[in-house]
Amino acid sequence: MITLKSAREIEEMRKSGALLADVHKHLRDFIKPGITSWDIEVFVRNFIESHGGVAAQIGFEGYKYATCVSINSEICHGFPRKKPLHNGDLVKVDMCIDLKGAMSDSCWAYVVGEATPEDEKLMAVTKKALYLGIEQAQVGNRIGDIGHAIQTYVEGEGYGVVRDFIGHGIGPTIHEAPAVPHFGEAGKGLRLKEGMVITIEPMVNTGTWKMKMDPNGWTAYTLDGGLSCQYEHTIAITKEGPQILTSQGEEGTY
């Protein structure tokens, strides 16, 4: 069932999203060569809890951590671990926050130390794909309009869009209807209505879109070992247009 949020509920989700965005802003300086993804996990959990939030991923469908920290060829759901990060690693940090019952969800990509040209291009394409999708999140448009905008741009750049993991509705729990694929046909699918709150979170690979699963049952890898990148925002569908509830203030450049 799709739940339509009131203006008050969206405002509470915006507060949750602002806290989440603040975590990501602090990670920009925190992530550097020599730290571990476990250090990221501890930092994020402490930040969320010290600001009155709850790390909502802990316990969700049995997941044990506040963050998913996926590195290089890991597409998503990477476990935090105690192996040091190295210069040039591409790290994606995904988290969900429950702030007084209001949910938010956002993933951001970071390069450890100095970025390679390959890192920079993949990150730029993935981020632009996110905002192209957000532009389509308008009252009266369809879910397929979002996916089509993302897919045509990403594939035009020679990259692959992951099919197996997609965006979703959010609130009152982490994953709600509707499903929001990052591929599809324009004019097809569910029509977007005022009050929907969804995530748009394209995962883009340098090679094939196909994936393989780790024996841990959670972590997904690119099938060909290529790099994968992800950016994600929580979006409210309003009559004034899409509102980014997890904004870090960077979208004006896209």
Side-chain angles (χ1 to χ4, degrees), residues 55-65:
Q57 288 182 164
I58 298 175
F60 179 71
E61 296 183 351
Y63 193 73
K64 298 179 180 180
Y65 309 104

Side-chain angles (χ1 to χ4, degrees), residues 114-135:
E114 298 177 4
T116 66
E118 184 180 33
D119 290 333
E120 290 178 342
K121 183 181 177 184
L122 177 61
M123 293 170 75
V125 168
T126 307
K127 188 181 285 187
K128 183 171 180 179
L130 167 66
Y131 291 113
L132 289 173
I134 291 172
E135 286 176 3

Side-chain angles (χ1 to χ4, degrees), residues 112-233:
V112 180
E114 298 177 4
T116 66
E118 184 180 33
D119 290 333
E120 290 178 342
K121 183 181 177 184
L122 177 61
M123 293 170 75
V125 168
T126 307
K127 188 181 285 187
K128 183 171 180 179
L130 167 66
Y131 291 113
L132 289 173
I134 291 172
E135 286 176 3
Q136 296 299 316
Q138 307 280 350
V139 173
N141 278 5
R142 295 186 180 272
I143 290 288
D145 296 325
I146 296 172
H148 179 75
I150 292 170
Q151 182 182 12
T152 52
Y153 169 66
V154 169
E155 292 181 352
E157 294 293 324
Y159 293 148
V161 180
V162 172
R163 309 286 201 275
D164 301 85
F165 299 96
I166 59 178
H168 51 85
I170 182 169
T173 64
I174 293 176
H175 280 190
E176 302 273 334
V180 185
H182 307 107
F183 56 93
E185 295 183 50
K188 300 291 186 180
L190 184 78
R191 195 175 295 280
L192 298 172
K193 296 181 179 180
E194 182 180 1
M196 287 182 177
V197 180
I198 61 173
T199 71
I200 299 176
E201 48 185 295
M203 301 168 207
V204 176
N205 301 343
T206 54
T208 178
W209 59 265
K210 297 181 179 179
M211 50 141 283
K212 57 185 177 183
M213 288 297 299
D214 189 277
N216 67 25
W218 280 95
T219 309
Y221 292 83
T222 59
L223 187 63
D224 58 8
L227 288 176
S228 185
C229 187
Q230 181 188 10
Y231 287 98
E232 172 189 14
H233 273 314

Side-chain angles (χ1 to χ4, degrees), residues 42-65:
V42 172
F43 176 86
V44 167
R45 183 168 183 178
N46 287 343
F47 193 102
I48 292 170
E49 293 177 352
S50 67
H51 288 79
V54 174
Q57 288 182 164
I58 298 175
F60 179 71
E61 296 183 351
Y63 193 73
K64 298 179 180 180
Y65 309 104

